[in-house]
Amino acid sequence: MTESQEQHYVLEEQVGYLLRLANQRHLSIFAEHIVDGLTSVQFSTLFRLRKEAGPMSQNALGRLVGMDAATTKGVVSRLISRGLIQMEKDPTDKRRYMLSTTQKGRALIEDTLPRVRQISEDTLAPLTPHEAKQFVALLKKLT
Amino acid sequence: MTESQEQHYVLEEQVGYLLRLANQRHLSIFAEHIVDGLTSVQFSTLFRLRKEAGPMSQNALGRLVGMDAATTKGVVSRLISRGLIQMEKDPTDKRRYMLSTTQKGRALIEDTLPRVRQISEDTLAPLTPHEAKQFVALLKKLT
DNA sequence: AGATATTCGTATGCATGCAAACGTTAATTA
DNA sequence: TAATTAACGTTTGCATGCATACGAATATCT
């Protein structure tokens, strides 16, 4: 390999730069489809709480969605403000609050599911179906 | 396709969810390698200003890095605070300020280049070299 | 049991990132 | 030329996201 190739550095070919732009694009597509201001992270959080192990503590939920405690606090507060999840004291552990979805939250998940499916499709639209599967597989391997 | 397949929705297989985690992972790797608190976006901005068309307006620079005007304002302010770029009035357009890198900024780019190369490698480390190339190509196509 | 670790939720500060609104200036159009 | 439109930079408000620190409660270890 020659030295000139070593010096070569193009922003458009760096994973980090491209990941940032791809993420921005997805969030933009998400916002287009979801009218009521629910964010991608808020949906993920709500979905995890509903479809995973059910009621759990705030920090546990955050971990399942890939958020640290500080971020989780804000997301959960907003979901509670919207009346999509609820909080009650854990009788066995005075530090914890158990979180669970409300009826309104569960209804919103069902209403939103077709749209989030469409969002995934739209995000992958520039790729052929085969490329899309490849891409998602590589993304999973990367995580 | 059966109805049960249509109902199927797994968070770990959604592009948006995976993109968010992949981006988080990259930013974490970036922070590990760069000691002085320079962020990924700040490096991209500095690099663009130095290696692209040279001195340009704030909004133009932001566009080249994929930031809106509000975000650009903050990033540029921080780069100026660190003494990495400088701002001077554009004599031909009273609205504009022309931005350019300082000597300190250019020196920092050269010092940082080997490290950002390593960051890209580390981010792609879970993939084979062939997969890594595929992944970057698909990311580019997606953007 | 008592000392130490860890976990829980919380709070603050900082950095992206977008929407929206704003005054100023330049470019376009009628 | 006059009116309109567009671009420039700025500010505010809100949402993620991380580091750090904190008191309270639980777990673990000696």
Side-chain angles (χ1 to χ4, degrees), chain B residues 20 57-59 63 70 73 95-97:
Chain B
R20 176 173 141 268
S57 76
Q58 187 172 294
N59 284 359
R63 267 178 247 120
K73 160 74 173 160
R95 298 169 301 179
R96 277 196 220 167
Y97 295 92

Side-chain angles (χ1 to χ4, degrees), chain A residues 39 41-42 68 70 78 93-95:
Chain A
T39 68
V41 166
Q42 285 169 18
D68 73 345
R78 274 163 233 125
D93 188 334
K94 293 179 183 173
R95 298 170 301 178

Side-chain angles (χ1 to χ4, degrees), chain B residues 25-54:
Chain B
R25 180 167 165 277
H26 168 257
L27 291 178
S28 167
I29 291 172
F30 195 100
E32 276 175 31
H33 285 74
I34 308 291
V35 277
D36 65 354
L38 193 80
T39 68
S40 182
V41 166
Q42 285 170 17
F43 177 78
S44 293
T45 305
L46 197 56
F47 186 82
R48 271 274 195 265
L49 186 58
R50 174 59 176 161
K51 305 293 186 178
E52 297 278 333

Side-chain angles (χ1 to χ4, degrees), chain B residues 24-136:
Chain B
Q24 279 180 11
R25 180 167 165 277
H26 168 257
L27 291 178
S28 167
I29 291 172
F30 195 100
E32 276 175 31
H33 285 74
I34 308 291
V35 277
D36 65 354
L38 193 80
T39 68
S40 182
V41 166
Q42 285 170 17
F43 177 78
S44 293
T45 305
L46 197 56
F47 186 82
R48 271 274 195 265
L49 186 58
R50 174 59 176 161
K51 305 293 186 178
E52 297 278 333
M56 67 186 100
S57 76
Q58 187 172 294
N59 284 359
L61 179 56
R63 267 178 247 120
L64 279 179
V65 185
M67 304 182 291
D68 74 344
T71 303
T72 304
K73 160 74 173 160
V75 174
V76 164
S77 293
R78 272 163 234 126
L79 289 174
I80 292 176
S81 295
R82 288 163 180 265
L84 301 175
I85 69 179
Q86 57 197 356
M87 205 179 209
E88 43 186 325
K89 284 187 181 176
D90 183 336
T92 72
D93 188 335
K94 293 180 183 173
R95 298 169 301 179
R96 277 196 220 167
Y97 295 92
M98 294 306 279
L99 300 179
S100 56
T101 53
T102 62
Q103 203 286 322
K104 186 179 172 190
R106 294 190 286 277
L108 191 138
I109 291 176
E110 298 309 320
D111 286 353
T112 309
L113 265 176
R115 265 174 287 190
V116 291
R117 271 187 247 273
Q118 188 61 49
I119 288 166
S120 290
E121 273 187 39
D122 288 5
T123 300
L124 291 168
L127 306 181
T128 67
H130 178 252
E131 287 174 334
K133 279 192 180 178
Q134 261 191 337
F135 183 67
V136 171

Side-chain angles (χ1 to χ4, degrees), chain A:
Chain A
M1 190 176 286
T2 69
E3 194 173 335
S4 66
Q5 275 179 293
E6 284 288 63
Q7 301 293 33
H8 185 69
Y9 187 87
V10 179
L11 220 49
E12 282 80 5
E13 290 171 9
Q14 308 306 314
V15 230
Y17 182 76
L18 293 168
L19 278 174
R20 176 174 142 266
L21 295 189
N23 200 41
Q24 280 180 11
R25 180 168 165 276
H26 167 257
L27 291 178
S28 166
I29 292 172
F30 195 99
E32 277 174 32
H33 284 73
I34 307 291
V35 277
D36 64 355
L38 193 80
T39 68
S40 182
V41 166
Q42 285 169 18
F43 177 79
S44 293
T45 305
L46 197 57
F47 187 83
R48 271 276 196 266
L49 186 58
R50 173 58 175 162
K51 305 293 187 180
E52 297 278 333
M56 67 187 99
S57 75
Q58 186 173 294
N59 284 359
L61 179 57
R63 268 179 246 120
L64 279 179
V65 185
M67 302 183 292
D68 73 345
T71 303
T72 305
K73 159 74 173 160
V75 174
V76 164
S77 293
R78 274 163 233 125
L79 289 174
I80 291 176
S81 296
R82 288 162 181 265
L84 301 175
I85 68 179
Q86 57 196 357
M87 205 177 208
E88 43 186 325
K89 284 186 182 176
D90 183 337
T92 71
D93 188 334
K94 293 179 183 173
R95 298 170 301 178
R96 277 196 219 168
Y97 296 92
M98 294 305 279
L99 301 179
S100 57
T101 53
T102 62
Q103 203 286 321
K104 187 179 171 189
R106 293 189 286 277
L108 191 137
I109 290 176
E110 298 308 321
D111 286 353
T112 309
L113 265 176
R115 263 174 287 190
V116 290
R117 272 188 246 273
Q118 188 62 49
I119 288 167
S120 290
E121 273 187 39
D122 288 6
T123 301
L124 292 167
L127 307 181
T128 68
H130 178 253
E131 287 174 333
K133 281 192 178 176
Q134 261 191 336
F135 182 67
V136 171
L138 292 173
L139 258 182
K140 280 173 81 171
K141 197 173 177 187
L142 209 64
T143 302

